[in-house]
Amino acid sequence: MGLLPMLLLLLWPPPTRTRCPDFCSCKPDGALSCPDAGPGFTRLEISQSDSLERMEANAFDSLLNLSEILIQNTKNLVYIGPGAFTNLPRLKYLSICNTGIQKLPDVTKIFSAEFNFILEICDNLHITTIPGNAFQGMNNESATLKLYGNGFEEIQSHAFNGTTLISLDLKENKNLRKMHNDALRGATGPNVLDISSTKLEALPSYGLESVQVLIATSSYSLKKLPPREKFVSLLEATLTYPSHCCAFINLPTKDQNISLSIFENFSKQCESTARKPNNETFYSAIFAESELSIWDYDYGFCSPKILRCAPEPDAFNPCEDIMGYDFLRVLIWLINLLAIMGNFTVLFVLLTSHYKMTVPRFLMCNLSFADFCMGLYLLLIASVDSKTKGQYHNHAIDWQTGSGCSAAGFFTVFASELSVYTLTVITLERWHTITYAMQLDRKLQLRHAVLIMLGGWLFSTIFAVLPLVGISNYMKVSICLPMDIETTLSQAYILIILVINVAAFIIICACYIKIYFAVQNPELVAANKDTKIAKKMAILIFTDFTCMAPISFFAISAAFKVPLITVTNSKILLVLFYPVNSCANPFLYAIFTKAFRRDFFLLLSKFGYCKNRAELYRVENFSAYTSNCKNSSHGANKAPQNTLKLYTTVLGETCSKGC
């Protein structure tokens, strides 16, 4: 024999040697039987056995002194028959882990009389269901169930019926999705419930009254908890989402309620004696010594128990509804309806008008659409706030991680950027038209405006999509704004948006100042005309400043991770300042203008309404046309006046803005 084969034989691991446990017999068919092991036989361990395949009924019959049974790492064990564990009154611990069984073992005939009996069933990946009454008759005292790491998919009704549970451990059952609402019905307890790392989507609403410790870490599918009134005894909760802890804020425990109901008249006495080293002084001041002798009183009464919950809500998600204040809840409905109705009216009138689509009309349509989208965002936020009022902590995860919040965030970023872009284009177009009023060859054509606005739509869409692909995100806060600045890329994204908006505001202000000086001529313009022009410009700049300044100031400070305002207070900016332009635009520069009123009444006349008013506008329009024709021969002498008229017309017709 060569050297290499000899080395392989020496190094090859010996075959696994399996044998039956002492006092037991293993039949040729793989069945196990352990009868009459004697009174001294208290512990049975079966581990890493390849030969054990089955356990028939009465496998451990008459082992009255047996206190521990461990069946572990027996992958070939595929069957444990009903009644395999029968009449074991002193059994304290039964462990069945890492086997090949496909059904939950029958433990209903153990009849253990031991206090805190421990049943451990773990890492059995082929068991999919915990049936009803699965543990009834297991023991007569309290029990701890460690049912972790199995292949459970469902826990049926009355599964724990007839048990008194100290602890129920269901962690790491990664396929567990359903726990019947009556799964704990008929059981007393549990005091400790652990459902960590499961896919449970809901907890049963019945049977949680005794839970003092709730552990639900890495339970990402559990987005909604039962009403907090169900957790009357809860003292400690370790959950997955911070928002769930909001349900337990200011929730008194059961013991605290009882204490307060008994001693509510003695709170002042408690305060006066709280600093004394011996709290017994407090009780002796209230009760006679004979009465104290029969009381098992709690010296911790003056410092009542407080429910502890983790993880705690952070600054971005405080424990409040989407709209933190009631007055905001009313205002957001008024503002969003105003923005939607106003901008829809402008769009409808402009698009159905029989007049030619001009550059100002085209730009105004784009701006109205952007502001309409802002109204949709506010409507979506207001609707969700109304639906989740008082229970937002149970809807926060579904809302902020769902498609609804993503859609709302897309709407607001797209609308605000398109509005800013369009306003800048409108202002530049008005400045260009006023400055070069007499050079018709330099007038902006509609085809040029279409190309410019295509660029604006592309720009706005890109900035609105970036948070959806990981550059910042819309799920950081309940109002779905891109406030995530954890990464350098996200921080840069926010700063770029803010710098662009501030630059647009500066351009708008500069253009309006130039327009004002271009048309101001003391020799040709009456004082009241000059004042009207100044007032219109002041309104333009003031509404822009109102919308832009507070948001930009606080947003820039937050982008540098030096927040000067809380999320709660930022919602005031969201409602009172953020949509100012979206509401003001259709009224200041469309609905309140003479040109729009003309188009509006002409449209109504098509449906048989306001025919006389429409006819007046037709006559007035015709008169203006003939007057312009007569004055055309005197154009050289009337240039300054024509420039002023052009300015006042375009300012009243088309100026608009967004934030």
Side-chain angles (χ1 to χ4, degrees):
M1 179 179 292
L3 181 61
L4 182 60
M6 291 180 64
L7 288 174
L8 290 174
L9 287 174
L10 290 173
L11 296 175
W12 193 264
T16 303
R17 301 181 65 182
T18 60
R19 62 184 182 85
C20 283
D22 296 337
F23 308 107
C24 296
S25 62
C26 296
K27 300 179 181 179
D29 61 357
L32 176 72
S33 178
C34 300
D36 302 325
F41 190 59
T42 60
R43 188 176 187 273
L44 172 64
E45 180 177 358
I46 304 172
S47 179
Q48 297 181 346
S49 174
D50 295 331
S51 60
L52 181 61
E53 298 177 1
R54 300 167 59 239
M55 286 186 181
E56 300 291 352
N58 303 313
F60 305 100
D61 192 24
S62 302
L63 299 180
L64 302 181
N65 294 321
L66 195 61
S67 61
E68 295 184 17
I69 300 177
L70 288 81
I71 305 171
Q72 300 174 342
N73 303 316
T74 55
K75 291 292 185 74
N76 292 334
L77 177 61
V78 296
Y79 176 77
I80 297 179
F85 305 99
T86 304
N87 194 22
L88 301 170
R90 296 188 180 180
L91 190 65
K92 296 180 180 179
Y93 179 47
L94 172 59
S95 175
I96 305 173
C97 293
N98 196 19
T99 70
I101 58 177
Q102 299 180 4
K103 293 177 62 178
L104 195 73
D106 178 19
V107 295
T108 60
K109 299 177 182 178
I110 293 179
F111 303 128
S112 172
E114 295 293 329
F115 176 78
N116 194 16
F117 172 80
I118 300 175
L119 174 64
E120 182 181 40
I121 299 178
C122 62
D123 301 325
N124 300 291
L125 302 181
H126 301 292
I127 305 178
T128 59
T129 304
I130 300 180
N133 300 310
F135 308 99
Q136 190 174 25
M138 181 178 64
N139 76 315
N140 299 325
E141 298 291 338
S142 57
T144 295
L145 299 184
K146 299 182 178 182
L147 312 176
Y148 58 88
N150 298 288
F152 297 147
E153 298 176 2
E154 178 187 9
I155 301 177
Q156 296 182 353
S157 176
H158 292 79
F160 305 100
N161 182 36
T163 60
T164 301
L165 297 176
I166 294 177
S167 175
L168 176 58
D169 188 349
L170 296 170
K171 67 184 178 185
E172 297 178 7
N173 290 295
K174 299 186 183 298
N175 298 321
L176 182 58
R177 296 178 180 272
K178 182 180 179 182
M179 188 172 183
H180 196 278
N181 197 50
D182 291 326
L184 294 171
R185 190 173 289 275
T188 302
N191 301 122
V192 179
L193 177 61
D194 189 347
I195 56 167
S196 300
S197 301
T198 66
K199 292 184 178 179
L200 279 175
E201 297 178 358
L203 284 175
S205 59
Y206 181 87
L208 301 176
E209 294 79 9
S210 300
V211 175
Q212 297 181 9
V213 178
L214 175 64
I215 306 173
T217 58
S218 301
S219 298
Y220 299 106
S221 298
L222 187 64
K223 298 178 181 179
K224 186 175 182 179
L225 294 178
R228 60 184 182 180
E229 292 78 12
K230 299 293 183 180
F231 297 95
V232 295
S233 301
L234 192 63
L235 297 174
E236 182 178 347
T238 306
L239 308 173
T240 303
Y241 299 111
S243 59
H244 286 162
C245 283
C246 296
F248 304 118
I249 289 182
N250 299 325
L251 177 65
T253 64
K254 183 178 179 181
D255 291 340
Q256 187 177 341
N257 282 334
I258 294 174
S259 297
L260 291 177
S261 65
I262 295 175
F263 296 112
E264 60 183 357
N265 295 327
F266 307 109
S267 57
K268 293 182 179 180
Q269 181 68 28
C270 177
E271 292 175 3
S272 65
T273 58
R275 296 183 180 180
K276 294 183 179 181
N278 186 0
N279 274 343
E280 194 169 345
T281 306
F282 161 61
Y283 294 98
S284 61
I286 302 172
F287 301 103
E289 187 174 348
S290 58
E291 293 174 322
L292 285 173
S293 62
I294 61 173
W295 274 72
D296 183 17
Y297 47 82
D298 181 11
Y299 287 113
F301 167 71
C302 286
S303 55
K305 298 176 181 177
I306 299 175
L307 190 153
R308 294 176 296 173
C309 186
E312 295 181 354
D314 56 22
F316 286 99
N317 292 282
C319 292
E320 62 184 21
D321 292 331
I322 296 180
M323 291 290 101
Y325 302 100
D326 288 335
F327 78 93
L328 290 181
R329 187 170 285 115
V330 176
L331 284 177
I332 194 172
W333 277 105
L334 295 176
I335 292 172
N336 83 71
L337 292 177
L338 203 61
I340 290 174
M341 294 172 62
N343 287 288
F344 178 79
T345 301
V346 172
L347 271 175
F348 183 75
V349 172
L350 292 179
L351 293 176
T352 57
S353 174
H354 67 280
Y355 288 96
K356 181 182 178 181
M357 179 61 73
T358 62
V359 172
R361 284 174 176 271
F362 172 73
L363 295 178
M364 188 62 198
C365 286
N366 281 270
L367 189 58
S368 295
F369 179 77
D371 293 336
F372 179 79
C373 289
M374 180 63 73
L376 292 180
Y377 161 74
L378 294 174
L379 177 63
L380 192 54
I381 293 294
S383 300
V384 175
D385 175 65
S386 297
K387 181 181 177 182
T388 62
K389 181 181 178 182
Q391 288 289 324
Y392 180 70
H393 58 270
N394 263 337
H395 302 274
I397 307 306
D398 270 336
W399 165 243
Q400 291 178 218
T401 61
S403 58
C405 192
S406 297
F410 178 89
F411 272 130
T412 187
V413 173
F414 173 81
S416 62
E417 295 313 302
L418 183 60
S419 184
V420 168
Y421 182 92
T422 308
L423 170 62
T424 307
V425 173
I426 287 175
T427 308
L428 289 170
E429 190 272 337
R430 291 302 86 208
W431 168 78
H432 182 272
T433 301
I434 296 296
T435 304
Y436 303 101
M438 306 311 299
Q439 302 178 34
L440 298 180
D441 58 321
R442 302 188 66 171
K443 184 179 180 181
L444 183 66
Q445 301 298 319
L446 183 60
R447 65 178 182 275
H448 300 146
V450 171
L451 292 176
I452 292 172
M453 288 312 303
L454 282 176
W457 279 67
L458 181 62
F459 159 79
S460 303
T461 302
I462 290 174
F463 270 84
V465 167
L466 286 178
L468 299 177
V469 295
I471 300 177
S472 192
N473 63 70
Y474 294 126
M475 63 181 68
K476 186 74 172 180
V477 292
S478 60
I479 52 180
C480 305
L481 295 178
M483 289 189 174
D484 185 8
I485 53 172
E486 296 300 321
T487 65
T488 304
L489 200 58
S490 299
Q491 194 174 9
Y493 166 78
I494 300 297
L495 287 173
I496 289 172
I497 288 181
L498 295 172
V499 169
I500 289 174
N501 290 353
V502 171
F505 174 70
I506 294 173
I507 291 172
I508 291 168
C509 291
C511 285
Y512 280 131
I513 292 171
K514 286 191 173 184
I515 290 172
Y516 178 75
F517 284 112
V519 301
Q520 187 185 35
N521 190 331
E523 297 178 359
L524 301 173
V525 184
N528 62 334
K529 285 283 187 181
D530 196 26
T531 304
K532 287 182 179 180
I533 294 171
K535 286 181 178 179
K536 287 184 178 180
M537 289 184 177
I539 293 174
L540 283 169
I541 296 174
F542 175 75
T543 51
D544 270 330
F545 183 81
T546 301
C547 178
M548 181 72 66
I551 292 177
S552 297
F553 175 73
F554 290 113
I556 289 174
S557 69
F560 285 106
K561 299 184 178 181
V562 187
L564 301 177
I565 189 173
T566 64
V567 171
T568 300
N569 292 331
S570 70
K571 295 173 183 178
I572 299 177
L573 297 180
L574 170 74
V575 176
L576 296 184
F577 297 97
Y578 191 54
V580 163
N581 287 337
S582 297
C583 296
N585 286 341
F587 293 93
L588 290 177
Y589 304 105
I591 295 176
F592 291 162
T593 63
K594 187 175 181 180
F596 182 86
R597 290 198 297 270
R598 177 198 63 198
D599 290 343
F600 180 73
F601 285 111
L602 289 176
L603 177 63
L604 289 180
S605 68
K606 294 180 180 180
F607 300 97
Y609 300 101
C610 303
K611 290 184 177 181
N612 294 335
R613 189 72 176 271
E615 190 62 31
L616 288 175
Y617 279 109
R618 289 191 184 96
V619 172
E620 185 177 334
N621 192 52
F622 179 76
S623 300
Y625 174 76
T626 56
S627 177
N628 288 336
C629 291
K630 291 179 180 179
N631 292 333
S632 60
S633 60
H634 306 288
N637 297 327
K638 301 289 185 177
Q641 290 88 334
N642 289 341
T643 301
L644 176 60
K645 289 179 180 178
L646 177 61
Y647 166 71
T648 54
T649 300
V650 297
L651 178 66
E653 268 191 329
T654 60
C655 287
S656 185
K657 45 198 192 313
C659 185

